[in-house]
Every structure is written in C-alpha cells, then in structure tokens.
Amino acid sequence: MKATRRAVLAGLGILATPAFALGGRNDLRAALDAAEKDGDPAHLASFDARALPPGQRLDLLTARAGLAIDAKLATATGAERYTLLLQQRSGTNVTPARTRRRLTLELDRLTARADRLFRGLGRTQGSVGERYRALFADPQWHYPDSDAGRDQAVADMNRVLDAARARVPALLGPVPPFCLDVTARRLSAAELAAGRGGYRELPTPQKPGAYVVDLKDIARRPSWSLRGAVHHELLPGHMTQMPMEVLADPHPLRRRYAPSYAEAWGMYAEQLAAADGVYKGDPLGELGHSHWLLFRVTRGLADLGIHLDGWSIDQARAQLIAWQGEPGYFAPFEIDLPRIAKEPATRASEAMAWLDLADTAARVPAARRVMFHQAMLRHGRMRTEVYGDWKRLA
C-alpha cells in the first residue's frame, strides 16, 4: 500500500498548516503548479528564496534549477545533452568530468578496501572482481534453496534490522516512531508465481512497513550480502527518508528535479551503518557492503562509458565484470546494461548524489552530524547544489 501524506498526518493527529502560518508564501504552491503546467519559470520570479521556510525554499530553488535546464535541453544534443541530463537529475554543480574523477576515486578506494579484506581471509589470487565471483559461488555461504532456507535468510535480515532500529536515534536523531515499525519479509507464493520482484511498503501510523525481499534465485544472495540490503532498504535507509518525505510533501517539481536523492540516501545509509561499526569483526559482511557500493559506482562509470566514450553493451559488461565480478541481485547485466543505454545519466547522477552527500557529511563536525542528518531528512529530497546549505535547513 502506498503511504499518502493524508494517511500519515491523520494517523499522527496532525492538521495541515497553511504555508503562510509557517512564515512562507501561501501563493507559492499555486505558482509552482502553474510552472509545472506550462514550464514557464516566470511564475516563480517574484519569490525570494531567502524569505521562505526550508521546505518552500527547496521547492522554489529546485523548480527554478530544473525548469532552466529543461529549457536548454530543448535544443541540446550529444555531450551537451548528457551534461544537462546529469545536472537535471542531480545538481548544477555536477559535470561529467567531475563525475568521472569522483567515481574513479571511489572505485580505487573500494577496490583497495576489498583487496585488503580478501587478503585477510586468505583469498589472494586474481583480481578483486574474480575474487568476488568466487566468493559468490562458494556454497558454504548459500542458504538452502527451500522454504526453510528462505525463512532463515529473512530471519537473519530481521536480526540485523533489530540492531539497526536500536541505533537510529543515535545516528539520525528523532524520527517519526512509525518509521521504525518495519520488517523484512519474503515474497508470497502468489507473488513468486506471478514473477514479482522485491518491493517496499512504506510504514504509516496505521500500518507497519516492509521490505519484501526477492529470494527466488537464492544462490545469488549469499548470507554475507544481505546485511547491506537491510541498511539500504530499511534502516537507516529508505524507511526513514521516504516516509519523512511523505510528511514534508515536496511539490511535484521537486520530486521531478531531484530524482536521485532517495537512492543517494539509501547508499549513504549503508555507509553510515558501516561507520557505526556494524561490520566490526565481520570481514565477509564488510565485503558484502563494499560490493554493493562497487555496484553503484561501476554502474555510474558504465553510464559515462556508454554515453560519452562510445562503449558497446559488451564492452560495458566486460568492464563491470572486471571491476565487481557479479552484478547486484536486482540488476543482472543482461537487463541493467540495456536500461542504462536507454536512460542516459541516470546511474551516474544517482552515484554523484550519494557521493556528494557523503562528502558533505564528512566535512560536518562529528558533534553536529545528527543535526546534519535531521536537516537532510526533515524537508524531503533536494538537489546536490544545496547540500552545503544544510544549516539553513536544520
């Protein structure tokens, strides 16, 4: 069931408050609606972003940036068009050159980290990609291909989730209590028969949320790979950011022109859990975490390679295999790469929205990190160029 703002507010006993009562402009929403309808940024010209409360300021700044890019996209081709698509989906401070540098730097860092972890386990032969392929194929980490095996995988995920739930207040500060009322569960027999993939049910005050995990091809989901999925899909990941965004009620133009933020938060949440020590004494779990991040980084590099460097699908596949060995469970190469080819700049923008979020967080003093997380969650999604202004959102 989709979580609506009306359901969430009703469950919390909160009445919608007019924007002007919060110090905002009560006519901004109408102006944004008009701009959404005809694409004309002139509707927004009279508003002063500095005088607006945080949510309205984000709505206005995001709409202005996105509409300006759309106007340029109308006539852009080739590399210019790719650049504009990248900026439309992440932020105006993101360029292909900076994206390539940052993703390459992260690839090198993650590869070195995985190599160190593999060596600690005595796995020294072959490239990191080859060692990941061997680790995925090692049957000692596979759950049985049975109902009992799938039940065990979900039980293990929920144990990880219980520990993550207890750490949310220390990591993120206060969040609506219903955000914590979430579990992992299996696809039902009917869903499996229908070929349905994994999905999320966002929590509301009336109903718990869930990450419904796809375990059909359970041999591709070794035990060490699932902890990172818990932190990304559940806590402190999507089950905090997405329901809090429902409460924030961003204008549709903000949802349109900051589409990469939800995945950015999920990836950042994986790192946040790792920095909190969840993999201490668990090198296999840390390898699983590193593989998920490698998957995100290398997809972004494949996006650049296909659209800017002229890579064929086969070239991109060979490079991904060399870098990460195995694909993410839900994105096998034969499905994901044609999609990347059809959706230029999408995976690169998601990766940059995440890395810019992580880089901004790294510059925040540890004593103020919770305040930063509150600012990044409370008002819904945002574009990368406003991350650095987080103090005005707190």
Side-chain angles (χ1 to χ4, degrees):
M1 180 183 294
K2 183 178 180 180
T4 66
R5 185 171 187 264
R6 183 181 297 275
V8 172
L9 292 175
L12 290 172
I14 298 172
L15 296 177
T17 304
F20 61 85
L22 300 174
R25 291 279 298 269
N26 62 337
D27 53 347
L28 177 60
R29 191 86 180 190
L32 288 164
D33 288 345
E36 180 187 20
K37 184 176 181 179
D38 64 17
D40 187 354
H43 295 290
L44 310 176
S46 65
F47 297 92
D48 181 359
R50 297 168 298 180
L52 297 172
Q56 284 195 319
R57 183 162 67 248
L58 288 171
D59 280 344
L60 179 62
L61 294 175
T62 302
R64 282 175 171 168
L67 291 168
I69 291 170
D70 274 357
K72 296 176 182 177
L73 275 168
T75 57
T77 59
E80 180 189 8
R81 180 174 179 79
Y82 185 90
T83 298
L84 290 169
L85 288 171
L86 187 63
Q87 293 177 344
Q88 181 195 59
R89 293 166 184 173
S90 53
T92 52
N93 59 343
V94 177
T95 65
R98 187 166 80 83
T99 299
R100 192 186 300 275
R101 287 194 302 271
R102 187 62 185 89
L103 294 184
T104 300
L105 179 66
E106 195 66 16
L107 173 63
D108 291 344
R109 187 188 71 82
L110 290 168
T111 299
R113 177 187 190 181
D115 177 64
R116 172 179 55 80
L117 290 165
F118 275 124
R119 289 182 180 278
L121 294 170
R123 293 175 177 261
T124 61
Q125 300 301 308
S127 68
V128 162
E130 288 168 340
R131 280 177 278 176
Y132 265 122
R133 296 197 82 177
L135 189 62
F136 268 93
D138 191 334
Q140 69 176 308
W141 311 115
H142 293 181
Y143 292 100
D145 189 3
S146 63
D147 284 342
R150 290 173 174 82
D151 287 343
Q152 184 60 56
V154 169
D156 288 349
M157 292 177 74
N158 280 315
R159 276 192 288 272
V160 173
L161 177 60
D162 286 341
R165 183 182 292 111
R167 292 294 296 155
V168 165
L171 294 175
L172 304 183
V175 302
F178 67 87
C179 291
L180 305 181
D181 188 12
V182 294
T183 58
R185 74 168 191 260
R186 291 173 53 188
L187 290 166
S188 69
E191 289 170 329
L192 285 169
R196 186 166 188 180
Y199 61 95
R200 309 177 194 103
E201 291 182 346
L202 297 187
T204 73
Q206 298 85 14
K207 184 179 179 182
Y211 171 48
V212 185
V213 59
D214 180 355
L215 297 171
K216 290 191 291 291
D217 191 0
I218 197 166
R220 292 188 56 234
R221 303 213 83 152
S223 58
W224 49 265
S225 73
L226 290 176
R227 177 169 284 193
V230 170
H231 296 132
H232 182 107
E233 297 290 349
L234 289 154
L235 299 173
H238 288 316
M239 295 299 178
T240 56
Q241 188 273 326
M242 288 182 171
M244 290 179 76
E245 179 169 285
V246 172
L247 284 175
D249 193 25
H251 190 271
L253 285 177
R254 178 140 58 105
R255 292 195 291 270
R256 179 190 300 176
Y257 295 126
S260 298
Y261 189 78
E263 280 307 300
W265 180 265
M267 290 180 261
Y268 176 69
E270 295 180 53
Q271 289 184 300
L272 189 60
D276 194 44
V278 298
Y279 299 112
K280 185 177 181 180
D282 181 13
L284 281 170
E286 190 173 354
L287 277 166
H289 163 63
S290 296
H291 187 266
W292 280 118
L293 298 187
L294 273 170
F295 162 65
R296 302 291 183 169
V297 166
T298 56
R299 280 172 114 197
L301 288 168
D303 189 338
L304 293 168
I306 290 170
H307 295 287
L308 295 183
D309 302 332
W311 289 3
S312 67
I313 296 296
D314 287 343
Q315 285 176 299
R317 180 188 179 104
Q319 192 60 71
L320 289 178
I321 290 172
W323 281 331
Q324 69 184 54
E326 288 289 318
Y329 178 86
F330 58 86
F333 296 138
E334 63 273 15
I335 294 174
D336 201 37
L337 284 168
R339 186 176 178 183
I340 290 172
K342 291 179 181 179
E343 300 176 354
T346 299
R347 302 308 166 207
S349 65
E350 287 175 351
M352 281 303 289
W354 152 48
L355 290 169
D356 273 359
L357 178 58
D359 291 345
T360 304
R363 295 190 291 270
V364 175
R368 305 194 72 186
R369 202 69 54 77
V370 169
M371 185 184 299
F372 170 76
H373 294 151
Q374 285 283 300
M376 303 308 283
L377 287 169
R378 190 178 299 151
H379 309 293
R381 66 185 62 196
M382 62 193 77
R383 291 169 57 80
T384 58
E385 66 259 28
V386 301
Y387 290 176
D389 199 28
W390 68 269
K391 293 178 185 177
R392 297 188 64 187
L393 303 175

PDB file of all heavy atoms in Angstrom, residues 146-175:
ATOM      1  N   SER A 146      15.117 -23.640  -0.431  1.00  0.00           N
ATOM      2  CA  SER A 146      13.901 -24.235   0.117  1.00  0.00           C
ATOM      3  C   SER A 146      13.170 -23.170   0.915  1.00  0.00           C
ATOM      4  O   SER A 146      13.701 -22.084   1.181  1.00  0.00           O
ATOM      5  CB  SER A 146      14.257 -25.405   1.046  1.00  0.00           C
ATOM      6  OG  SER A 146      15.003 -24.925   2.164  1.00  0.00           O
ATOM      7  N   ASP A 147      11.945 -23.480   1.310  1.00  0.00           N
ATOM      8  CA  ASP A 147      11.212 -22.541   2.163  1.00  0.00           C
ATOM      9  C   ASP A 147      11.975 -22.294   3.460  1.00  0.00           C
ATOM     10  O   ASP A 147      12.039 -21.149   3.941  1.00  0.00           O
ATOM     11  CB  ASP A 147       9.822 -23.098   2.485  1.00  0.00           C
ATOM     12  CG  ASP A 147       8.860 -22.968   1.317  1.00  0.00           C
ATOM     13  OD1 ASP A 147       9.139 -22.158   0.399  1.00  0.00           O
ATOM     14  OD2 ASP A 147       7.823 -23.663   1.312  1.00  0.00           O
ATOM     15  N   ALA A 148      12.546 -23.344   4.013  1.00  0.00           N
ATOM     16  CA  ALA A 148      13.290 -23.173   5.263  1.00  0.00           C
ATOM     17  C   ALA A 148      14.502 -22.272   5.068  1.00  0.00           C
ATOM     18  O   ALA A 148      14.819 -21.435   5.924  1.00  0.00           O
ATOM     19  CB  ALA A 148      13.724 -24.542   5.799  1.00  0.00           C
ATOM     20  N   GLY A 149      15.182 -22.421   3.938  1.00  0.00           N
ATOM     21  CA  GLY A 149      16.337 -21.573   3.669  1.00  0.00           C
ATOM     22  C   GLY A 149      15.943 -20.117   3.498  1.00  0.00           C
ATOM     23  O   GLY A 149      16.628 -19.210   3.994  1.00  0.00           O
ATOM     24  N   ARG A 150      14.847 -19.884   2.817  1.00  0.00           N
ATOM     25  CA  ARG A 150      14.385 -18.513   2.625  1.00  0.00           C
ATOM     26  C   ARG A 150      13.895 -17.900   3.940  1.00  0.00           C
ATOM     27  O   ARG A 150      14.122 -16.723   4.214  1.00  0.00           O
ATOM     28  CB  ARG A 150      13.308 -18.473   1.547  1.00  0.00           C
ATOM     29  CG  ARG A 150      13.874 -18.752   0.152  1.00  0.00           C
ATOM     30  CD  ARG A 150      12.800 -18.891  -0.919  1.00  0.00           C
ATOM     31  NE  ARG A 150      13.425 -19.022  -2.238  1.00  0.00           N
ATOM     32  CZ  ARG A 150      13.902 -20.169  -2.720  1.00  0.00           C
ATOM     33  NH1 ARG A 150      13.805 -21.295  -1.997  1.00  0.00           N
ATOM     34  NH2 ARG A 150      14.488 -20.211  -3.908  1.00  0.00           N
ATOM     35  N   ASP A 151      13.240 -18.713   4.751  1.00  0.00           N
ATOM     36  CA  ASP A 151      12.832 -18.224   6.072  1.00  0.00           C
ATOM     37  C   ASP A 151      14.047 -17.852   6.918  1.00  0.00           C
ATOM     38  O   ASP A 151      14.018 -16.859   7.652  1.00  0.00           O
ATOM     39  CB  ASP A 151      12.000 -19.280   6.788  1.00  0.00           C
ATOM     40  CG  ASP A 151      10.597 -19.433   6.212  1.00  0.00           C
ATOM     41  OD1 ASP A 151      10.148 -18.519   5.488  1.00  0.00           O
ATOM     42  OD2 ASP A 151       9.967 -20.471   6.475  1.00  0.00           O
ATOM     43  N   GLN A 152      15.107 -18.638   6.800  1.00  0.00           N
ATOM     44  CA  GLN A 152      16.315 -18.340   7.566  1.00  0.00           C
ATOM     45  C   GLN A 152      16.945 -17.035   7.094  1.00  0.00           C
ATOM     46  O   GLN A 152      17.418 -16.224   7.910  1.00  0.00           O
ATOM     47  CB  GLN A 152      17.325 -19.476   7.428  1.00  0.00           C
ATOM     48  CG  GLN A 152      18.587 -19.292   8.270  1.00  0.00           C
ATOM     49  CD  GLN A 152      18.282 -19.199   9.758  1.00  0.00           C
ATOM     50  OE1 GLN A 152      17.646 -20.108  10.304  1.00  0.00           O
ATOM     51  NE2 GLN A 152      18.714 -18.134  10.417  1.00  0.00           N
ATOM     52  N   ALA A 153      16.963 -16.814   5.781  1.00  0.00           N
ATOM     53  CA  ALA A 153      17.524 -15.565   5.255  1.00  0.00           C
ATOM     54  C   ALA A 153      16.761 -14.360   5.790  1.00  0.00           C
ATOM     55  O   ALA A 153      17.359 -13.354   6.211  1.00  0.00           O
ATOM     56  CB  ALA A 153      17.485 -15.584   3.724  1.00  0.00           C
ATOM     57  N   VAL A 154      15.441 -14.439   5.803  1.00  0.00           N
ATOM     58  CA  VAL A 154      14.630 -13.324   6.298  1.00  0.00           C
ATOM     59  C   VAL A 154      14.833 -13.148   7.802  1.00  0.00           C
ATOM     60  O   VAL A 154      14.913 -12.013   8.300  1.00  0.00           O
ATOM     61  CB  VAL A 154      13.144 -13.552   5.950  1.00  0.00           C
ATOM     62  CG1 VAL A 154      12.251 -12.556   6.678  1.00  0.00           C
ATOM     63  CG2 VAL A 154      12.941 -13.426   4.443  1.00  0.00           C
ATOM     64  N   ALA A 155      14.922 -14.239   8.533  1.00  0.00           N
ATOM     65  CA  ALA A 155      15.168 -14.135   9.973  1.00  0.00           C
ATOM     66  C   ALA A 155      16.509 -13.462  10.249  1.00  0.00           C
ATOM     67  O   ALA A 155      16.625 -12.627  11.160  1.00  0.00           O
ATOM     68  CB  ALA A 155      15.122 -15.525  10.612  1.00  0.00           C
ATOM     69  N   ASP A 156      17.515 -13.804   9.466  1.00  0.00           N
ATOM     70  CA  ASP A 156      18.823 -13.159   9.634  1.00  0.00           C
ATOM     71  C   ASP A 156      18.740 -11.667   9.333  1.00  0.00           C
ATOM     72  O   ASP A 156      19.345 -10.840  10.021  1.00  0.00           O
ATOM     73  CB  ASP A 156      19.854 -13.822   8.713  1.00  0.00           C
ATOM     74  CG  ASP A 156      20.256 -15.216   9.185  1.00  0.00           C
ATOM     75  OD1 ASP A 156      19.911 -15.598  10.317  1.00  0.00           O
ATOM     76  OD2 ASP A 156      20.906 -15.932   8.391  1.00  0.00           O
ATOM     77  N   MET A 157      18.000 -11.303   8.297  1.00  0.00           N
ATOM     78  CA  MET A 157      17.832  -9.896   7.968  1.00  0.00           C
ATOM     79  C   MET A 157      17.127  -9.147   9.092  1.00  0.00           C
ATOM     80  O   MET A 157      17.499  -8.014   9.446  1.00  0.00           O
ATOM     81  CB  MET A 157      17.046  -9.743   6.657  1.00  0.00           C
ATOM     82  CG  MET A 157      17.792 -10.231   5.430  1.00  0.00           C
ATOM     83  SD  MET A 157      16.803 -10.121   3.899  1.00  0.00           S
ATOM     84  CE  MET A 157      16.846  -8.351   3.610  1.00  0.00           C
ATOM     85  N   ASN A 158      16.127  -9.769   9.697  1.00  0.00           N
ATOM     86  CA  ASN A 158      15.403  -9.093  10.766  1.00  0.00           C
ATOM     87  C   ASN A 158      16.233  -8.966  12.035  1.00  0.00           C
ATOM     88  O   ASN A 158      16.042  -8.015  12.806  1.00  0.00           O
ATOM     89  CB  ASN A 158      14.075  -9.806  11.035  1.00  0.00           C
ATOM     90  CG  ASN A 158      13.008  -9.411  10.027  1.00  0.00           C
ATOM     91  OD1 ASN A 158      12.850  -8.231   9.713  1.00  0.00           O
ATOM     92  ND2 ASN A 158      12.273 -10.391   9.503  1.00  0.00           N
ATOM     93  N   ARG A 159      17.171  -9.867  12.251  1.00  0.00           N
ATOM     94  CA  ARG A 159      18.093  -9.690  13.381  1.00  0.00           C
ATOM     95  C   ARG A 159      19.003  -8.477  13.149  1.00  0.00           C
ATOM     96  O   ARG A 159      19.273  -7.693  14.073  1.00  0.00           O
ATOM     97  CB  ARG A 159      18.920 -10.952  13.592  1.00  0.00           C
ATOM     98  CG  ARG A 159      18.211 -12.007  14.431  1.00  0.00           C
ATOM     99  CD  ARG A 159      19.158 -13.101  14.866  1.00  0.00           C
ATOM    100  NE  ARG A 159      19.531 -13.957  13.740  1.00  0.00           N
ATOM    101  CZ  ARG A 159      18.841 -15.021  13.354  1.00  0.00           C
ATOM    102  NH1 ARG A 159      17.720 -15.349  13.995  1.00  0.00           N
ATOM    103  NH2 ARG A 159      19.251 -15.754  12.348  1.00  0.00           N
ATOM    104  N   VAL A 160      19.486  -8.330  11.921  1.00  0.00           N
ATOM    105  CA  VAL A 160      20.277  -7.143  11.581  1.00  0.00           C
ATOM    106  C   VAL A 160      19.423  -5.890  11.742  1.00  0.00           C
ATOM    107  O   VAL A 160      19.873  -4.863  12.269  1.00  0.00           O
ATOM    108  CB  VAL A 160      20.820  -7.257  10.141  1.00  0.00           C
ATOM    109  CG1 VAL A 160      21.490  -5.958   9.704  1.00  0.00           C
ATOM    110  CG2 VAL A 160      21.799  -8.421  10.028  1.00  0.00           C
ATOM    111  N   LEU A 161      18.172  -5.982  11.307  1.00  0.00           N
ATOM    112  CA  LEU A 161      17.268  -4.839  11.406  1.00  0.00           C
ATOM    113  C   LEU A 161      17.012  -4.444  12.854  1.00  0.00           C
ATOM    114  O   LEU A 161      16.949  -3.247  13.173  1.00  0.00           O
ATOM    115  CB  LEU A 161      15.950  -5.177  10.706  1.00  0.00           C
ATOM    116  CG  LEU A 161      14.853  -4.118  10.756  1.00  0.00           C
ATOM    117  CD1 LEU A 161      15.314  -2.825  10.101  1.00  0.00           C
ATOM    118  CD2 LEU A 161      13.588  -4.643  10.079  1.00  0.00           C
ATOM    119  N   ASP A 162      16.859  -5.396  13.742  1.00  0.00           N
ATOM    120  CA  ASP A 162      16.628  -5.079  15.157  1.00  0.00           C
ATOM    121  C   ASP A 162      17.773  -4.242  15.724  1.00  0.00           C
ATOM    122  O   ASP A 162      17.554  -3.270  16.457  1.00  0.00           O
ATOM    123  CB  ASP A 162      16.472  -6.363  15.974  1.00  0.00           C
ATOM    124  CG  ASP A 162      15.128  -7.046  15.741  1.00  0.00           C
ATOM    125  OD1 ASP A 162      14.199  -6.371  15.244  1.00  0.00           O
ATOM    126  OD2 ASP A 162      15.019  -8.248  16.050  1.00  0.00           O
ATOM    127  N   ALA A 163      19.002  -4.637  15.382  1.00  0.00           N
ATOM    128  CA  ALA A 163      20.160  -3.868  15.859  1.00  0.00           C
ATOM    129  C   ALA A 163      20.180  -2.477  15.231  1.00  0.00           C
ATOM    130  O   ALA A 163      20.488  -1.482  15.895  1.00  0.00           O
ATOM    131  CB  ALA A 163      21.449  -4.624  15.538  1.00  0.00           C
ATOM    132  N   ALA A 164      19.831  -2.390  13.948  1.00  0.00           N
ATOM    133  CA  ALA A 164      19.814  -1.091  13.270  1.00  0.00           C
ATOM    134  C   ALA A 164      18.740  -0.182  13.860  1.00  0.00           C
ATOM    135  O   ALA A 164      18.948   1.021  14.039  1.00  0.00           O
ATOM    136  CB  ALA A 164      19.578  -1.284  11.773  1.00  0.00           C
ATOM    137  N   ARG A 165      17.595  -0.752  14.171  1.00  0.00           N
ATOM    138  CA  ARG A 165      16.494   0.032  14.744  1.00  0.00           C
ATOM    139  C   ARG A 165      16.917   0.688  16.057  1.00  0.00           C
ATOM    140  O   ARG A 165      16.614   1.861  16.313  1.00  0.00           O
ATOM    141  CB  ARG A 165      15.294  -0.887  14.974  1.00  0.00           C
ATOM    142  CG  ARG A 165      14.058  -0.175  15.491  1.00  0.00           C
ATOM    143  CD  ARG A 165      12.918  -1.158  15.744  1.00  0.00           C
ATOM    144  NE  ARG A 165      12.410  -1.725  14.504  1.00  0.00           N
ATOM    145  CZ  ARG A 165      12.554  -2.985  14.130  1.00  0.00           C
ATOM    146  NH1 ARG A 165      13.239  -3.830  14.899  1.00  0.00           N
ATOM    147  NH2 ARG A 165      12.058  -3.409  12.992  1.00  0.00           N
ATOM    148  N   ALA A 166      17.648  -0.052  16.861  1.00  0.00           N
ATOM    149  CA  ALA A 166      18.080   0.482  18.151  1.00  0.00           C
ATOM    150  C   ALA A 166      19.062   1.633  17.999  1.00  0.00           C
ATOM    151  O   ALA A 166      19.175   2.478  18.895  1.00  0.00           O
ATOM    152  CB  ALA A 166      18.716  -0.640  18.979  1.00  0.00           C
ATOM    153  N   ARG A 167      19.760   1.705  16.861  1.00  0.00           N
ATOM    154  CA  ARG A 167      20.787   2.731  16.669  1.00  0.00           C
ATOM    155  C   ARG A 167      20.273   3.960  15.928  1.00  0.00           C
ATOM    156  O   ARG A 167      20.986   4.962  15.836  1.00  0.00           O
ATOM    157  CB  ARG A 167      21.960   2.135  15.882  1.00  0.00           C
ATOM    158  CG  ARG A 167      22.754   1.082  16.633  1.00  0.00           C
ATOM    159  CD  ARG A 167      23.464   1.693  17.817  1.00  0.00           C
ATOM    160  NE  ARG A 167      24.462   2.684  17.389  1.00  0.00           N
ATOM    161  CZ  ARG A 167      24.887   3.688  18.148  1.00  0.00           C
ATOM    162  NH1 ARG A 167      24.374   3.874  19.363  1.00  0.00           N
ATOM    163  NH2 ARG A 167      25.807   4.521  17.684  1.00  0.00           N
ATOM    164  N   VAL A 168      19.054   3.921  15.412  1.00  0.00           N
ATOM    165  CA  VAL A 168      18.544   5.064  14.641  1.00  0.00           C
ATOM    166  C   VAL A 168      18.564   6.365  15.434  1.00  0.00           C
ATOM    167  O   VAL A 168      19.026   7.401  14.927  1.00  0.00           O
ATOM    168  CB  VAL A 168      17.145   4.759  14.077  1.00  0.00           C
ATOM    169  CG1 VAL A 168      16.454   6.042  13.604  1.00  0.00           C
ATOM    170  CG2 VAL A 168      17.254   3.779  12.911  1.00  0.00           C
ATOM    171  N   PRO A 169      18.076   6.416  16.671  1.00  0.00           N
ATOM    172  CA  PRO A 169      18.095   7.704  17.385  1.00  0.00           C
ATOM    173  C   PRO A 169      19.492   8.290  17.530  1.00  0.00           C
ATOM    174  O   PRO A 169      19.675   9.511  17.384  1.00  0.00           O
ATOM    175  CB  PRO A 169      17.487   7.356  18.751  1.00  0.00           C
ATOM    176  CG  PRO A 169      16.638   6.155  18.491  1.00  0.00           C
ATOM    177  CD  PRO A 169      17.394   5.370  17.460  1.00  0.00           C
ATOM    178  N   ALA A 170      20.496   7.450  17.777  1.00  0.00           N
ATOM    179  CA  ALA A 170      21.860   7.960  17.932  1.00  0.00           C
ATOM    180  C   ALA A 170      22.432   8.445  16.618  1.00  0.00           C
ATOM    181  O   ALA A 170      23.224   9.394  16.590  1.00  0.00           O
ATOM    182  CB  ALA A 170      22.755   6.866  18.527  1.00  0.00           C
ATOM    183  N   LEU A 171      22.038   7.824  15.516  1.00  0.00           N
ATOM    184  CA  LEU A 171      22.591   8.184  14.213  1.00  0.00           C
ATOM    185  C   LEU A 171      21.844   9.335  13.553  1.00  0.00           C
ATOM    186  O   LEU A 171      22.450  10.208  12.932  1.00  0.00           O
ATOM    187  CB  LEU A 171      22.566   6.973  13.282  1.00  0.00           C
ATOM    188  CG  LEU A 171      23.473   5.802  13.655  1.00  0.00           C
ATOM    189  CD1 LEU A 171      23.229   4.637  12.709  1.00  0.00           C
ATOM    190  CD2 LEU A 171      24.933   6.206  13.623  1.00  0.00           C
ATOM    191  N   LEU A 172      20.519   9.320  13.666  1.00  0.00           N
ATOM    192  CA  LEU A 172      19.696  10.253  12.910  1.00  0.00           C
ATOM    193  C   LEU A 172      18.971  11.273  13.766  1.00  0.00           C
ATOM    194  O   LEU A 172      18.430  12.245  13.235  1.00  0.00           O
ATOM    195  CB  LEU A 172      18.652   9.490  12.086  1.00  0.00           C
ATOM    196  CG  LEU A 172      19.153   8.423  11.125  1.00  0.00           C
ATOM    197  CD1 LEU A 172      17.992   7.831  10.350  1.00  0.00           C
ATOM    198  CD2 LEU A 172      20.215   8.977  10.178  1.00  0.00           C
ATOM    199  N   GLY A 173      18.925  11.056  15.077  1.00  0.00           N
ATOM    200  CA  GLY A 173      18.092  11.908  15.905  1.00  0.00           C
ATOM    201  C   GLY A 173      16.650  11.444  15.842  1.00  0.00           C
ATOM    202  O   GLY A 173      16.343  10.346  15.368  1.00  0.00           O
ATOM    203  N   PRO A 174      15.702  12.271  16.280  1.00  0.00           N
ATOM    204  CA  PRO A 174      14.299  11.845  16.309  1.00  0.00           C
ATOM    205  C   PRO A 174      13.716  11.671  14.917  1.00  0.00           C
ATOM    206  O   PRO A 174      13.905  12.511  14.035  1.00  0.00           O
ATOM    207  CB  PRO A 174      13.602  12.982  17.066  1.00  0.00           C
ATOM    208  CG  PRO A 174      14.492  14.172  16.892  1.00  0.00           C
ATOM    209  CD  PRO A 174      15.890  13.638  16.840  1.00  0.00           C
ATOM    210  N   VAL A 175      13.043  10.558  14.731  1.00  0.00           N
ATOM    211  CA  VAL A 175      12.281  10.311  13.512  1.00  0.00           C
ATOM    212  C   VAL A 175      10.880   9.887  13.956  1.00  0.00           C
ATOM    213  O   VAL A 175      10.685   9.432  15.085  1.00  0.00           O
ATOM    214  CB  VAL A 175      12.923   9.217  12.630  1.00  0.00           C
ATOM    215  CG1 VAL A 175      14.348   9.588  12.242  1.00  0.00           C
ATOM    216  CG2 VAL A 175      12.890   7.859  13.316  1.00  0.00           C
TER     217      VAL A 175
END
